[in-house]
Amino acid sequence: MLKVKTCLYNTLTKKVEEFVPNEEGKVAMYTCGPTVYHFAHIGNLRSYIMEDILEKYLRFVGYDVKRVMNITDVGHLSSDGDTGEDKMLAGAKRENKSVMDIARFYTDAFMNDCKELNIKRPDVVEPATNCIPEFIHMIEVLLEKGYAYRAGENIYFDTSKLENYYVLSSQNEAELQVGVREDVSEDENKRNQADFVLWFTKSKFENQELKWESPWGIGYPGWHIECSCISMKHLGEYMDIHCGGVDNIFPHHTNEIAQSESYLGHKWCNYWFHVNHLNTKNGKMSKSKGEFLTVSLLKEKGYDPMVYRMFCLLSHYRKPLEFTWEALDNVATTYDKLIQRIRNLSSDGNADEEEVSLYTHKFAEALANDINTSSAITVLYDMLKADIQDASKRELVSSFDTVLSLGLSRAFEKEELDSDLAAYVEAMIEERKAAKKEKNFARADEIRDELAAKGIILKDTREGTVWSRQ
Ligand code: AMP
Ligand code: ZN
């Protein structure tokens, strides 16, 4: 383990505090996954990029991390309260497909976006529809313990049974009055305003496509129960870090705590890590507003996804971040210069252990301060400027990039690729020269065509054959 004191802002205590996991050297981490009814927008992906950095930083300093993520493929209604249509059903209707087809398609699309952005796949990825028996079990226990009730043939969590339901948020009952939030309408079955649905049987969503048998009749789970169950299924009764975007604090994470701790009878998760929003000039980027940016769109416009990753890393995760094309263009220029600078490092000599250790600590310390990614990038620049061996710099670039994942090492790979390609083209030119000498023009033409198919153009000059990329 590297000797650094990791400090994180904890939404639960509302302060930056030292991170101490339950089990020494091990971290149990959970991330709320996407609702797979549409493409992820780059706002969603900001959250996943910053959570990826947190995970990779913890691994960098030596923790053995197990990270679990759900895929929401049922139960998330168009309002985060229990009103509106199931988002999955709305997606299926929009595209005239089945819910499972939609789920499969957008889960793959999400994983692909993550790959493009160098976001590591969590150790466990579990769709909600895989865990119906676990949800039913937890709801049964909550009913037995008196934390849940049946009304209007749905099962609700009774928030009045808790001393401090709003432990995570500053929300209170008054703020939740119907009408304050436009998308909340009164559900007459609820005993208390803040109560939420654990299991729907009879509701206004008669056309719900996915339904399962349960002790309370055929129905489907509420959204919040899935994260409590899926995390416990894979991480057990105690969790170290739970992540999500700030919009998940209330009601989703508040409800997760209510259910989990009532079920377990003890504290569940110690640290809550929330990423602030990516905004546009019109406010939070969101799918429901219709207009949103995706990774594919950035690529179509000619941006390397790494540029967007760097754009995110240059800001602190707890601050709102405004997206503009101008800002992205500036980062694109910065990124190209950075890659060029790394490419210019000499590949001769050996790394110096002391130099590597010094900058490794500086880098870790920057991130240990509540995942300060922009400071970590400053350490990268300071290191590149420093009067140390190029070989040390190369080693440090590769090592920092196990966390930053900005594709920095590809500056080296490209060099290797270039030299492999050059050797191959030179060999082909020699073979073509020999073929011509033997008047085997057919083979000479074949070689020219073969290279052309690989984007290599040959030009015969008085000084010999030269080549270039198309
Ligand atoms: P969803 O697919 O809607 O369940 O959201 C997936 C994740 O993206 C959640 O952690 C949200 O909190 C997060 N999220 C949603 N909108 C934004 C945004 N504009 N900026 C950053 N994160 C967001
Ligand atoms: Zn969740």
Side-chain angles (χ1 to χ4, degrees):
M1 289 277 277
L2 274 182
K3 272 209 179 108
V4 278
K5 180 173 151 187
T6 300
C7 292
L8 296 175
Y9 180 83
N10 187 354
T11 312
L12 195 60
T13 55
K14 300 185 180 46
K15 48 179 197 253
V16 176
E17 53 188 23
E18 185 177 358
F19 171 68
V20 185
N22 284 308
E23 216 179 310
E24 208 186 319
K26 287 194 171 179
V27 179
M29 182 173 174
Y30 184 83
T31 299
C32 287
T35 309
V36 283
Y37 71 109
H38 215 321
F39 291 109
H41 57 63
I42 59 170
N44 300 129
L45 291 159
R46 178 191 189 197
S47 287
Y48 295 109
I49 289 171
M50 303 318 289
E51 293 160 3
D52 179 62
I53 291 278
L54 169 64
E55 175 189 349
K56 287 175 177 166
Y57 159 75
L58 292 168
R59 290 185 193 275
F60 185 81
V61 295
Y63 286 109
D64 176 9
V65 183
K66 180 170 178 188
R67 181 160 169 220
V68 177
M69 184 175 82
N70 66 308
I71 297 284
T72 300
D73 53 1
V74 68
H76 192 175
L77 307 188
S78 64
S79 114
D80 284 353
D82 301 316
T83 60
E85 195 173 19
D86 184 308
K87 290 186 179 191
M88 294 303 298
L89 193 62
K93 271 198 214 154
R94 185 187 66 230
E95 298 185 21
N96 213 6
K97 290 187 186 149
S98 74
V99 165
M100 281 332 276
D101 281 346
I102 288 285
R104 222 169 291 127
F105 179 81
Y106 288 113
T107 302
D108 289 349
F110 172 74
M111 290 303 172
N112 203 42
D113 287 344
C114 288
K115 219 172 181 183
E116 296 272 14
L117 289 165
N118 283 346
I119 298 169
K120 179 184 167 292
R121 188 186 166 94
D123 303 292
V124 178
V125 177
E126 178 96 70
T129 48
N130 269 6
C131 304
I132 303 297
E134 285 90 342
F135 304 158
I136 291 176
H137 170 73
M138 187 177 278
I139 297 167
E140 279 179 318
V141 173
L142 290 172
L143 279 162
E144 266 165 40
K145 288 188 161 187
Y147 287 107
Y149 60 93
R150 191 170 183 171
E153 294 178 53
N154 294 327
I155 310 295
Y156 293 86
F157 187 92
D158 187 348
T159 53
S160 70
K161 291 281 175 348
L162 302 183
E163 250 171 57
N164 189 6
Y165 165 65
Y166 298 100
V167 61
L168 197 60
S169 55
S170 53
Q171 215 98 9
N172 61 47
E173 200 99 15
E175 288 172 51
L176 265 179
Q177 289 306 312
V178 174
V180 173
R181 279 175 49 194
E182 273 173 34
D183 54 352
V184 177
S185 63
E186 190 126 34
D187 176 346
E188 280 163 10
N189 297 317
K190 290 185 184 181
R191 287 185 193 159
N192 314 288
Q193 194 91 65
D195 292 358
F196 55 93
V197 178
L198 298 167
W199 187 267
F200 293 97
T201 58
K202 193 165 172 52
S203 68
K204 56 185 175 169
F205 324 116
E206 297 295 352
N207 55 352
Q208 183 69 9
E209 207 178 294
L210 299 178
K211 294 179 200 175
W212 294 265
E213 293 279 356
S214 82
W216 320 288
I218 293 176
Y220 63 100
W223 171 37
H224 316 294
I225 194 83
E226 68 179 82
C227 290
S228 293
C229 289
I230 293 175
S231 62
M232 280 181 215
K233 179 175 172 185
H234 298 286
L235 298 170
E237 290 190 11
Y238 296 91
M239 204 204 303
D240 296 301
I241 307 182
H242 194 308
C243 317
V246 284
D247 58 325
N248 283 162
I249 297 174
F250 187 84
H252 185 48
H253 290 166
T254 303
N255 292 350
E256 279 187 42
I257 294 176
Q259 298 159 154
S260 301
E261 297 192 351
S262 304
Y263 169 81
L264 292 168
H266 60 71
K267 191 173 177 191
W268 173 48
C269 176
N270 289 332
Y271 300 87
W272 288 81
F273 179 90
H274 288 107
V275 180
N276 214 318
H277 285 147
L278 180 79
N279 296 319
T280 62
K281 283 200 181 78
N282 304 323
K284 177 195 167 201
M285 187 172 287
S286 82
K287 288 178 227 179
S288 53
K289 284 188 190 157
E291 268 194 16
F292 58 84
L293 299 173
T294 59
V295 171
S296 330
L297 195 103
L298 293 189
K299 281 181 74 182
E300 268 168 42
K301 287 184 177 279
Y303 294 95
D304 183 334
M306 290 299 96
V307 169
Y308 179 64
R309 187 168 171 113
M310 184 151 179
F311 173 80
C312 291
L313 300 195
L314 288 170
S315 295
H316 195 257
Y317 75 91
R318 277 203 288 132
K319 292 199 182 123
L321 175 59
E322 186 171 315
F323 179 85
T324 63
W325 291 107
E326 202 187 357
L328 194 66
D329 285 338
N330 287 337
V331 177
T333 312
T334 309
Y335 181 75
D336 284 347
K337 282 190 188 152
L338 176 62
I339 292 291
Q340 200 46 53
R341 194 162 184 169
I342 293 169
R343 197 166 282 160
N344 288 342
L345 293 174
S346 151
S347 52
D348 299 338
N350 294 317
D352 177 290
E353 227 174 87
E354 259 177 48
E355 290 170 356
V356 170
S357 162
L358 174 72
Y359 281 94
T360 300
H361 273 88
K362 286 187 184 211
F363 179 74
E365 272 159 16
L367 290 169
N369 177 16
D370 197 20
I371 312 299
N372 196 329
T373 43
S374 66
S375 291
I377 290 178
T378 304
V379 173
L380 169 69
Y381 278 103
D382 287 348
M383 179 276 286
L384 288 170
K385 257 189 276 167
D387 186 17
I388 59 172
Q389 306 286 327
D390 271 13
S392 303
K393 293 182 183 178
R394 285 169 70 99
E395 188 170 321
L396 285 160
V397 164
S398 298
S399 145
F400 292 2
D401 211 35
T402 60
V403 181
L404 301 176
S405 302
L406 286 169
L408 303 180
S409 309
R410 75 184 174 190
F412 309 137
E413 282 159 21
K414 177 126 193 339
E415 220 170 62
E416 278 156 27
L417 234 169
D418 277 355
S419 64
D420 284 354
L421 180 76
Y424 162 76
V425 177
E426 296 300 341
M428 293 298 266
I429 289 175
E430 279 309 305
E431 194 188 330
R432 181 165 168 268
K433 201 165 138 192
K436 274 184 168 175
K437 215 169 169 185
E438 288 162 13
K439 306 226 177 317
N440 185 353
F441 296 111
R443 175 64 190 143
D445 286 349
E446 218 175 75
I447 291 173
R448 177 192 285 275
D449 293 345
E450 247 178 74
L451 288 173
K454 292 187 163 67
I456 306 292
I457 306 299
L458 299 184
K459 199 168 159 199
D460 295 315
T461 69
R462 253 190 276 168
E463 286 76 35
T465 306
V466 291
W467 64 277
S468 60
R469 284 207 179 100
Q470 216 163 20

